[in-house]
Amino acid sequence: MIELEKPMRSGYVAVVGLSNSGKSALVNALTARSICPSHEYSGITRIPMTSIHMTDEVQICVIDTPPLEEGEGCLQMGEVDAFCLVINSSELSGQLQSPYVMEFIAENGRKPIVIAPAFIDHFPANLHGALRNQVSMSLIHNDIVPVCPPSGQGVTTLLAAISMLVPRRGRLFPDGCISLHSERFLVSEQIRYSLFCALPPDIASTTAVQIEEFSIRDDKRYVRTNLFVARHSSKGVVIGKKGSMLQHIARLASESASRIIERQLNLDLWVKVREAWPENRNDLVEFGYIC
């Protein structure tokens, strides 16, 4: 007798919001893994990133997106089942009135939308109801769930609300699948994130990551990577005295990437100069910043 697959909710949910609203931190909290780089520096998310929440009853591909003010990147909004709009509670009035938020609601209001006022730890609990009321009167929504991604407050409630918005269509992803992206891409993003953790923002944001070799040796993942800086003066900063900064970046990236791919990683970094690459469209395409 053939055993029928158990019905389950499964689908795609895009997490959207303005710059520094807490989208990436929330995606990591929802899926309990740190796939999406999250940093106080704005604009870390350059293209949509995927992380998958999976249980016996629910499969959700949660999509981290670039800030609304920078466009949707390579994501086609019509392909998702629902949205989670993240609003920074510490800038609530301004974000609710943002033309980018209003435009998003106008263009996507036919899809289910859960609004997540983030960083509610900035306010005492007795004000959370007032936050919900202010959001409720300002934007179309299916539900409002205040959250604090770093502490996990409200994340379980938000996950339950999102799960109810995806259809019952059966399994979409195989067991053990953590992202729609390849290991190679996930590792490259962790390297890029490590640049922001170690370098001044102006240098980190103008240093491109390009993996040249991605192989397995002695059950270790070997990754040879070129870091392209936009100015000759930046090269020495990235390398550091006697290579100390480059070693620091490699250590940070190796530790975070190894946790994600669950395999020991041997990272070999090389610094090269590609003068003014952020101003060259061909370079932006080559380095994956535009589609």
Side-chain angles (χ1 to χ4, degrees):
M1 182 177 178
I2 299 177
E3 184 177 350
L4 297 177
E5 184 178 290
K6 182 180 179 181
M8 67 187 315
R9 292 187 179 274
S10 58
Y12 300 83
V13 175
V15 176
V16 300
L18 297 173
S19 180
N20 274 3
S21 58
K23 302 183 304 299
S24 300
L26 181 57
V27 172
N28 290 337
L30 288 169
T31 59
R33 58 176 61 91
S34 299
I35 282 181
C36 302
S38 176
H39 195 271
E40 62 183 13
Y41 183 78
S42 62
I44 294 292
T45 305
R46 57 189 177 92
I47 62 174
M49 294 280 294
T50 61
S51 187
I52 297 175
H53 165 75
M54 188 180 303
T55 68
D56 293 337
E57 293 78 28
V58 177
Q59 287 188 341
I60 301 176
C61 179
V62 187
I63 307 168
D64 187 17
T65 62
L68 288 175
E69 57 266 45
E70 297 181 11
E72 61 191 41
C74 303
L75 176 67
Q76 299 299 316
M77 293 296 197
E79 297 176 358
V80 303
D81 298 296
F83 294 98
C84 175
L85 173 60
V86 186
I87 300 291
N88 189 336
S89 295
S90 63
E91 303 172 5
L92 190 61
S93 296
Q95 296 216 346
L96 290 176
Q97 298 171 13
S98 164
Y100 299 104
V101 171
M102 302 305 293
E103 181 182 1
F104 166 78
I105 293 291
E107 293 181 353
N108 301 281
R110 294 184 179 179
K111 289 283 181 74
I113 299 176
V114 175
I115 300 178
F119 306 118
I120 56 171
D121 56 317
H122 291 178
F123 303 91
N126 62 342
L127 292 182
H128 293 176
L131 290 175
R132 288 175 56 96
N133 290 339
Q134 186 174 353
V135 173
S136 180
M137 292 186 292
S138 302
L139 300 175
I140 298 172
H141 61 278
N142 291 75
D143 202 352
I144 301 173
V145 182
V147 295
C148 178
S151 69
Q153 185 178 356
V155 171
T156 301
T157 303
L158 177 60
L159 188 55
I162 290 174
S163 299
M164 296 303 296
L165 299 180
V166 298
R168 291 188 179 275
R169 56 159 63 105
R171 183 177 298 272
L172 289 178
F173 314 108
D175 290 341
C177 182
I178 64 171
S179 174
L180 301 185
H181 297 293
S182 66
E183 279 192 4
R184 185 186 185 115
F185 176 82
L186 295 178
V187 170
S188 71
E189 285 299 288
Q190 291 304 310
I191 296 172
R192 195 172 66 88
Y193 172 58
S194 297
L195 298 177
F196 284 92
C197 294
L199 298 171
D202 61 322
I203 295 179
S205 61
T206 54
T207 301
V209 177
Q210 188 177 68
I211 292 181
E212 190 173 84
E213 181 182 348
F214 197 75
S215 58
I216 295 179
R217 303 177 186 177
D218 301 324
D219 201 36
K220 297 179 182 178
R221 176 64 73 184
Y222 174 77
V223 182
R224 178 187 171 93
T225 304
N226 295 322
L227 303 179
F228 287 97
V229 295
R231 296 184 298 272
H232 283 276
S233 59
S234 300
K235 184 174 181 178
V237 178
V238 176
I239 294 174
K241 186 176 181 180
K242 296 183 179 180
S244 58
M245 178 58 72
L246 198 60
Q247 292 173 13
H248 179 53
I249 294 169
R251 182 169 60 254
L252 291 175
S254 296
E255 291 174 354
S256 61
S258 295
R259 286 193 295 269
I260 291 174
I261 68 174
E262 297 181 345
R263 184 192 296 270
Q264 188 173 347
L265 188 140
N266 186 339
L267 184 57
D268 189 11
L269 297 179
W270 294 79
V271 184
K272 300 183 178 182
V273 179
R274 182 80 65 90
E275 195 71 33
W277 69 260
E279 302 170 18
N280 187 306
R281 179 176 174 80
N282 290 334
D283 288 337
L284 290 171
V285 172
E286 178 184 344
F287 296 146
Y289 283 84
I290 58 178
C291 300

